[in-house]
């Protein structure tokens, strides 16, 4: 970028497998709820291209792998031909500006209700334990969850296959790779966490059994599109959606050691300090042991600012840093870091509205220098 990179490790280049990144500032996957009927919309072309720099890595919002994967209004999918075709111009716009674009593939599991499910059926999960109602992000509305249906052992391969097909579809849409969403209390995380998983078959009980579903999905996706195009997001320390674990560090270590066998491109890990989706807590726990154990690229996320991110890269605590809310509100975030410019403030009230412009593509850029 400039001499600024000497004092901003975030702005130094990085070799991500076959991809040459010009900086280490990653667009975190951010649910924006603007994909009507689960189909990506043309307004996403502007949203993602605004946040694209030559050699920058973007991870798209969580994208459903099937018609049972939904739990929020207007989230995109990638299980139909129509959805694949709708993604193509969005991906093309990112590539036209030299960006690298990964598709995060997702199943919400029990974080849903029958209104989002085909034929009004119960959501699926590793368990039949219900989630308690949750206050929505606006602090006013309450989300109610239908009691889930516990997947039978013989049904699990079909869900694994849904992820495989979604990965293939993502490549057909032109994405450079996929990120498997294994975090934040959604289906894969539900299997991994002992607070949720109460199974007695080969997918429950021991750490190995609870991680089996995740490993099978990774293996299927790697076999379909190649390990060099696969990442995964994990949050072993988090308890989002009542999905805590009694020994999160052991869970994180077991998972990355398992992932090493597949040689995947990256692991995207949420910091222990992110105990809730909106608050950063002081935390003595660290990702360091997990980072050291993983052999691929390590992306850290969770409440980072420029100073934190620079320190993490300088100390080798992470290779890349994912930014969510700051990138949402500052489409030119790497440039602002380079110039030490002030950041736009984000507006939480517009994070999850369905408006195609407000709080989406109307955050201002820095004035162009003459």
């Amino acid at each position: 970028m400039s001499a600024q990179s000497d004092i901003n490790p975030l702005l130094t280049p990085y070799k991500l497998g076959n991809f040459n990144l010009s900086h280490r500032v990653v667009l975190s996957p951010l649910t924006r709820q603007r994909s009507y009927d689960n189909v990506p919309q043309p307004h996403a072309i502007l949203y993602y291209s605004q946040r694209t720099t030559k050699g920058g890595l973007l991870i798209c919002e969580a994208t459903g792998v099937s018609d049972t994967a939904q739990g929020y209004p207007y989230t995109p999918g990638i299980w139909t031909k129509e959805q694949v075709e709708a993604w193509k111009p969005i991906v093309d716009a990112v590539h036209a500006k030299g960006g690298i674009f990964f598709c995060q593939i997702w199943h919400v599991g029990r974080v849903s209700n029958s209104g989002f499910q085909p034929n009004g059926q119960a959501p699926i999960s590793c368990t039949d334990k219900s989630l308690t109602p949750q206050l929505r992000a606006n602090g006013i509305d309450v989300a109610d969850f239908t009691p889930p249906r516990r997947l039978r052992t013989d049904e699990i391969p079909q869900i694994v296959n849904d992820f495989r097909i979604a990965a293939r579809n993502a490549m057909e849409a032109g994405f450079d790779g996929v990120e498997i969403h294994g975090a934040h209390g959604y289906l894969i995380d539900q299997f991994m966490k002992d607070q949720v998983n109460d199974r007695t078959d080969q997918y429950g009980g021991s750490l190995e059994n609870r991680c089996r579903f995740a490993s099978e999905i990774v293996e299927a996706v790697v076999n379909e599109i190649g390990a060099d195009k696969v990442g995964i997001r994990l949050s072993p320390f988090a308890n989002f959606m009542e999905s805590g674990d009694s020994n999160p560090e052991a869970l994180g270590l077991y998972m990355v050691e398992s992932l090493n066998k597949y040689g995947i491109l990256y692991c995207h890990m949420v910091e222990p300090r992110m105990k809730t989706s909106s608050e950063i807590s002081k935390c003595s726990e660290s990702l360091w042991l997990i980072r050291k154990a993983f052999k691929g690229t390590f992306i850290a996320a969770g409440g980072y600012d420029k100073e934190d991110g620079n320190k993490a890269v300088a100390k080798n605590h992470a290779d890349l840093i994912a930014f969510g809310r700051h990138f949402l509100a500052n489409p030119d975030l790497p440039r602002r870091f380079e110039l030490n410019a002030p950041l736009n403030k984000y507006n939480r009230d517009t994070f999850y509205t369905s408006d195609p412009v407000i709080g989406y593509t109307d955050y201002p850029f820095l004035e162009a220098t003459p």
Side-chain angles (χ1 to χ4, degrees), residues 68-366:
T68 68
Q70 308 308 304
Y72 299 88
Y74 308 133
T75 52
I78 198 157
W79 72 89
T80 71
K81 183 71 174 167
E82 181 187 11
Q83 291 162 342
V84 171
E85 292 302 314
W87 273 116
K88 286 181 178 178
I90 304 168
V91 177
D92 288 347
V94 171
H95 285 159
K97 291 181 71 174
I100 294 101
F101 204 12
F102 272 54
C103 181
Q104 191 190 64
I105 52 177
W106 182 46
H107 196 301
V108 301
R110 68 175 184 164
V111 187
S112 186
N113 65 54
S114 56
F116 289 106
Q117 296 297 313
N119 306 314
Q121 65 196 36
I124 56 174
S125 181
C126 62
T127 182
D128 53 14
K129 289 190 290 190
S130 292
L131 265 176
T132 54
Q134 308 263 334
L135 198 62
R136 292 197 187 275
N138 62 14
I140 301 166
D141 300 322
V142 173
D144 289 309
F145 305 102
T146 303
R149 178 178 70 80
R150 183 192 305 266
L151 282 163
R152 299 191 313 270
T153 308
D154 65 346
E155 292 177 296
I156 291 175
Q158 178 57 53
I159 312 302
V160 173
N161 196 51
D162 288 339
F163 277 86
R164 181 187 65 80
I165 293 169
R168 185 178 68 198
N169 288 346
M171 301 311 292
E172 185 186 335
F175 283 99
D176 297 294
V178 301
E179 176 176 288
I180 297 162
H181 196 341
H184 293 170
Y186 299 116
L187 184 61
I188 295 173
D189 205 31
Q190 288 160 31
F191 272 84
M192 286 193 283
K193 299 287 185 62
D194 60 13
Q195 184 178 324
V196 184
N197 187 334
D198 56 358
R199 301 178 74 90
T200 56
D201 63 0
Q202 65 263 42
Y203 293 94
S206 69
L207 196 51
E208 179 183 6
N209 283 358
R210 284 184 281 118
C211 293
R212 189 183 307 278
F213 180 59
S215 295
E216 288 179 352
I217 288 171
V218 170
E219 183 173 18
V221 171
V222 162
N223 288 342
E224 184 65 34
I225 68 171
D228 60 337
K229 302 178 189 70
V230 179
I232 190 169
R233 194 177 213 210
L234 300 171
S235 61
F237 293 92
N239 56 6
F240 299 122
M241 296 297 173
E242 299 167 14
S243 63
D245 192 82
S246 60
N247 193 342
E249 188 164 84
L251 172 60
L253 280 168
Y254 181 87
M255 271 304 300
V256 295
E257 284 161 2
S258 300
L259 294 169
N260 286 337
K261 293 184 292 195
Y262 302 107
I264 66 169
L265 182 63
Y266 72 76
C267 180
H268 182 181
M269 190 79 71
V270 179
E271 285 281 359
R273 62 190 180 178
M274 293 297 289
K275 294 298 188 187
T276 73
S277 58
S278 61
E279 292 180 11
I280 303 171
S281 59
K282 292 198 185 308
C283 181
S284 59
E285 297 163 313
S286 165
L287 296 179
W288 178 238
L289 286 177
I290 297 170
R291 190 275 196 273
K292 285 198 295 184
F294 184 63
K295 292 186 166 61
T297 290
F298 195 80
I299 306 177
Y304 276 94
D305 59 18
K306 176 186 169 184
E307 184 182 359
D308 285 344
N310 276 327
K311 281 182 185 170
V313 173
K315 292 180 175 179
N316 198 32
H317 287 178
D319 299 304
L320 308 172
I321 304 293
F323 293 86
R325 288 162 285 192
H326 288 313
F327 220 149
L328 179 158
N330 296 273
D332 52 356
L333 188 65
R335 178 166 162 76
R336 288 176 188 260
F337 285 172
E338 179 186 359
L339 300 177
N340 203 27
L343 301 185
N344 299 323
K345 289 185 168 52
Y346 49 80
N347 180 2
R348 287 183 186 281
D349 294 342
T350 59
F351 282 1
Y352 306 112
T353 64
S354 58
D355 193 285
V357 176
I358 297 169
Y360 191 56
T361 55
D362 60 347
Y363 282 104
F365 287 74
L366 288 170

